[in-house]
Amino acid sequence: MTLGDALPAVRSPIPAAAGQAWVERLAASECPALTTRRKRREEQTGASHDPIVWVEAQGANVVDADGNRYVDLTSGFGVALVGHRHPKVVEAVKRQADRLLHALGDLHPSDVKIELLERLCELAPWPQARAMLSLSGADAVTAALKTAVMATGKTGVIAFEGSYHGLTYGPLAVSGFAERFRKPFEAQLQPDVHFAMWPEREADVEAALRTLPADWSRMGALIVEPVQGRAGVRLPPPGFLEALKRLCEENDALLIADEIFTGLGRCGAWWRSVDEGITPDVICLGKALGGGLPVSACIASEEVMGAWGASDREAIHTGTFYGDPLGSAAALTTIDLIEGEHLIERAADRGNAWATALRAEGLPGVLEVRHAGMMLGLQLGAPMQALTVTHALLERGYLVLPAGMRADVLQLAPPVTVSEAQLEGFTASLRDVLGQP
Ligand SMILES: Cc1ncc(COP(=O)(O)O)c(C=O)c1O
């Protein structure tokens, strides 16, 4: 087995000497918020939560500073859909690096930026589309929120409890995931945000719709994750997204689909929202788009994007590195790979098979297995349980993320190319961990 589809090889304790030395340097140099968070987890779970330090990754494998090998079932926060360091992405980046590293963005763009814009517009679910490139998911959400203001003249936004759209100011204001993220900055956040209930079951849909505002006169946008990721892979019941789209149409508000996690094949379709029967007004992309490089995009129909008006001497929304050549080259290759390696079909088929197999396992303590393509959420019984299970899995060589507002969900989003043996090894390790008293 080569690095990429290999099984884990981990010696305890983790991190060992080399990793621990890096962690000490991290604690002495990084903003203390992250170190504090580890301490809090340690207090809550009684286990050490020092991180491993990544030094190499390939396919679904990650190697840490102590030489331990892991299987990454997170895709590095959903980024490595095509696998870490896909040889074709690396080749494209190297080729681009030999030619042009940086251009003059919106003023004098690179050829490869234009190619990426064209490709995204072709993929978009509108006959004619326009796109804006940026670096992070939060950037794409910011662009979408601004687009809604330009298109509707209204600044209010409807969002959902549990939603996660990024932590810069615009996205933070509409992220319902945790009050503690917003609290210190409340005075600097736009106040006109209405959080509605997210229905977890079909029986909750009516109640959720009743929590939408009665008066939409100030509401220019409704932003929704087609599947809530960080909140624990929470799928909207059938018909819910359609009802939202109808209400947006009736009330002259744009429906923004935050497909940063769910899009580009992760959920078995280019666009999860479209697969669920709606055409959103704006789509945000990020994470997997750059194949490992930071690239994001906000895409809308020509008509919606036209609301920005023609450029009048200077761009009123831009960034120094937006549409950078390296990221654009990597994104073009990533899109080619998703198409050429049939990753959308593979995500749909493999996700179904994996979820079915996990359900059939009858794992002790797993109350529910939710999934959309290769995005899975394993619902555990107790708050904070995902923290201890995640750590125990790490010790066995499997990287997964805790999710859910009560940290009671295991989030699984491996590279679509992960091997069967790696998935089977994970299931055996999870059974082992959950079987522990
Ligand atoms: C649905 C969704 N939107 C937005 C973001 C923010 O992306 P970024 O962290 O790149 O700013 C994330 C990140 O996890 C996400 O899952």
Side-chain angles (χ1 to χ4, degrees):
M1 261 186 273
T2 51
L3 189 66
D5 55 13
L7 291 171
V10 176
R11 277 180 316 252
S12 70
I14 50 166
Q20 199 58 55
W22 279 112
V23 172
E24 298 305 331
R25 289 168 63 178
L26 175 75
S29 55
E30 193 175 37
C31 164
L34 301 181
T35 314
T36 309
R37 189 184 64 167
R38 289 206 310 275
K39 280 222 178 80
R40 210 188 56 188
R41 281 194 177 182
E42 198 166 321
E43 281 160 17
Q44 281 165 345
T45 64
S48 155
H49 277 273
D50 276 339
I52 57 162
V53 174
W54 295 28
V55 296
E56 192 183 350
Q58 178 83 55
N61 283 138
V62 168
V63 178
D64 76 7
D66 298 298
N68 295 310
R69 186 174 65 232
Y70 302 83
V71 173
D72 177 19
L73 301 179
T74 77
S75 296
F77 296 135
V79 167
L81 180 94
V82 300
H84 288 283
R85 231 159 45 81
H86 192 292
K88 292 215 164 117
V89 173
V90 173
E91 188 191 308
V93 170
K94 282 185 178 161
R95 218 180 317 115
Q96 185 60 44
D98 278 341
R99 213 161 60 83
L100 178 72
L101 278 181
H102 181 68
L104 262 177
D106 60 275
L107 195 58
H108 298 294
S110 68
D111 51 358
V112 67
K113 168 186 160 173
I114 298 169
E115 280 186 59
L116 177 59
L117 286 166
E118 284 176 350
R119 196 84 163 83
L120 288 171
C121 290
E122 277 164 24
L123 285 176
W126 308 279
Q128 303 289 328
R130 293 279 191 274
M132 291 194 264
L133 299 175
S134 46
L135 296 172
S136 69
D139 288 344
V141 170
T142 301
L145 294 171
K146 283 188 174 181
T147 300
V149 174
M150 297 305 263
T152 67
K154 302 187 284 183
T155 54
V157 183
I158 300 166
F160 290 92
E161 50 103 359
S163 62
Y164 187 79
H165 301 292
L167 297 184
T168 55
Y169 277 115
L172 176 61
V174 298
S175 288
F177 179 75
E179 181 65 22
R180 64 182 180 281
F181 289 180
R182 291 195 307 274
K183 195 81 191 142
F185 314 107
E186 209 151 87
Q188 292 184 352
L189 295 177
Q190 92 111 327
D192 212 356
V193 178
H194 179 103
F195 286 106
M197 171 187 158
W198 183 257
E200 291 193 63
R201 318 249 163 254
E202 211 151 345
D204 299 334
V205 168
E206 285 307 314
L209 291 175
R210 278 198 299 277
T211 65
L212 292 166
D215 175 8
W216 286 51
S217 57
R218 293 191 326 278
M219 297 298 165
L222 179 148
I223 183 163
V224 63
E225 290 162 87
V227 175
Q228 284 195 338
R230 191 161 178 176
V233 188
R234 301 203 297 179
L235 281 70
F240 184 62
L241 294 180
E242 279 168 299
L244 297 180
K245 172 69 180 163
R246 228 175 5 256
L247 286 164
C248 285
E249 274 167 9
E250 285 164 16
N251 291 287
D252 184 32
L254 298 193
L255 190 144
I256 301 170
D258 178 347
E259 297 258 15
I260 287 163
F261 204 156
T262 54
L264 296 176
R266 168 59 60 195
C267 292
W270 279 112
W271 321 108
R272 173 70 181 179
S273 50
V274 175
D275 205 35
E276 286 291 285
I278 65 161
T279 305
D281 298 299
V282 184
I283 289 178
C284 299
L285 284 183
K287 291 197 185 283
L289 179 58
L293 267 72
V295 189
S296 62
C298 165
I299 322 174
S301 67
E302 191 173 54
E303 187 193 345
V304 166
M305 219 42 120
W308 281 87
S311 167
D312 180 18
R313 290 196 307 276
E314 57 192 358
I316 63 166
H317 182 73
T318 185
T320 302
F321 292 106
Y322 287 4
D324 75 292
L326 278 190
S328 298
L332 277 166
T333 303
T334 302
I335 294 169
D336 283 347
L337 284 168
I338 293 171
E339 250 173 20
E341 296 193 351
H342 310 290
L343 295 187
I344 293 179
E345 297 80 359
R346 282 166 75 181
D349 294 346
R350 301 196 70 198
N352 279 336
W354 191 24
T356 306
L358 284 168
R359 286 183 195 116
E361 281 285 323
L363 293 159
V366 175
L367 307 184
E368 188 178 36
V369 177
R370 296 187 287 271
H371 90 291
M374 283 292 255
M375 182 176 182
L376 284 81
L378 272 50
Q379 181 67 53
L380 305 176
M384 302 298 166
Q385 195 187 352
L387 302 181
T388 38
V389 173
T390 297
H391 191 73
L393 284 168
L394 186 69
E395 289 178 323
R396 286 161 178 76
Y398 291 94
L399 275 153
V400 305
L401 284 176
M405 286 179 284
R406 289 174 298 277
D408 57 356
V409 178
L410 293 183
Q411 187 193 82
L412 309 173
V416 175
T417 51
V418 65
S419 76
E420 281 306 314
Q422 288 170 327
L423 295 184
E424 282 161 18
F426 162 75
T427 309
S429 290
L430 181 59
R431 176 172 283 289
D432 188 28
V433 167
L434 293 174
Q436 310 282 319

